[in-house]
Amino acid sequence: MASNVICGTNYSLDAGTVDFFGARGMHFGDGWAINTFGGNLMVEVVKTHDTLEGIKQCIKGDTDAGKRDKIAFVIVGKRAAVALYLEGIITAEHLRKASEGPDYVDIPDVNFEDLSLTVRVDASRENLAFVATADKDCTIIE
């Protein structure tokens, strides 16, 4: 039986609360509780559609520019990663396969339409709307 607690140095999932570098969130009734600005959990509905839509736009832009075959990573900030988990795009199974460094968490095999990519949670990205695609070396595709 798999443990209900998934824990790394910079990420965790415990009792339904996900955490990336101190950005935390959980489902709460019909909404979500999330510490959007780094404080205590507050009940609010976070629109991950904007994050997912940004990812789709990046992929489309790369595809239109003939760079689709270079895409290996999607880079998001820590609060966007919480939102992607709460939306069900990142799952507990993904987190079980995660790897990390001092300022990032890599979550492999996340599906975005017909692409399976690694989501890199970049601790330095505070902006919830930040999203970028990157190549196999995690260099942002321009």
Side-chain angles (χ1 to χ4, degrees):
M1 175 184 254
S3 170
N4 290 335
V5 177
I6 301 167
C7 192
T9 302
N10 300 309
Y11 69 98
S12 66
L13 178 61
D14 187 3
T17 299
V18 69
D19 182 305
F20 293 101
F21 299 98
R24 297 182 323 274
M26 64 183 286
H27 290 128
F28 186 84
D30 291 335
W32 301 343
I34 188 167
N35 68 338
T36 306
F37 300 106
N40 295 325
L41 293 177
M42 299 180 347
V43 177
E44 62 181 66
V45 175
V46 178
K47 295 182 181 177
T48 59
H49 178 73
D50 295 339
T51 302
L52 184 57
E53 195 57 40
I55 291 168
K56 288 178 182 179
Q57 287 175 7
C58 284
I59 292 170
K60 182 180 179 335
D62 292 342
T63 300
D64 291 350
K67 299 178 182 179
R68 182 182 179 90
D69 61 330
K70 292 185 177 186
I71 305 170
F73 285 85
V74 170
I75 303 172
V76 299
K78 54 193 175 186
R79 288 176 180 77
V82 169
L84 289 172
Y85 174 80
L86 293 172
E87 184 68 17
I89 296 163
I90 295 172
T91 67
E93 280 307 308
H94 291 119
L95 293 176
R96 283 187 179 87
K97 299 175 189 174
S99 61
E100 63 186 315
D103 58 355
Y104 69 88
V105 175
D106 282 349
I107 306 164
D109 304 323
V110 180
N111 292 318
F112 298 99
E113 297 177 357
D114 61 340
L115 292 175
S116 179
L117 303 171
T118 297
V119 172
R120 173 160 285 188
V121 182
D122 182 337
S124 70
R125 305 293 180 172
E126 294 290 334
N127 183 344
L128 180 64
F130 177 84
V131 62
T133 50
D135 64 16
K136 64 180 177 55
D137 298 318
C138 212
T139 301
I140 293 175
I141 299 171
E142 301 289 330

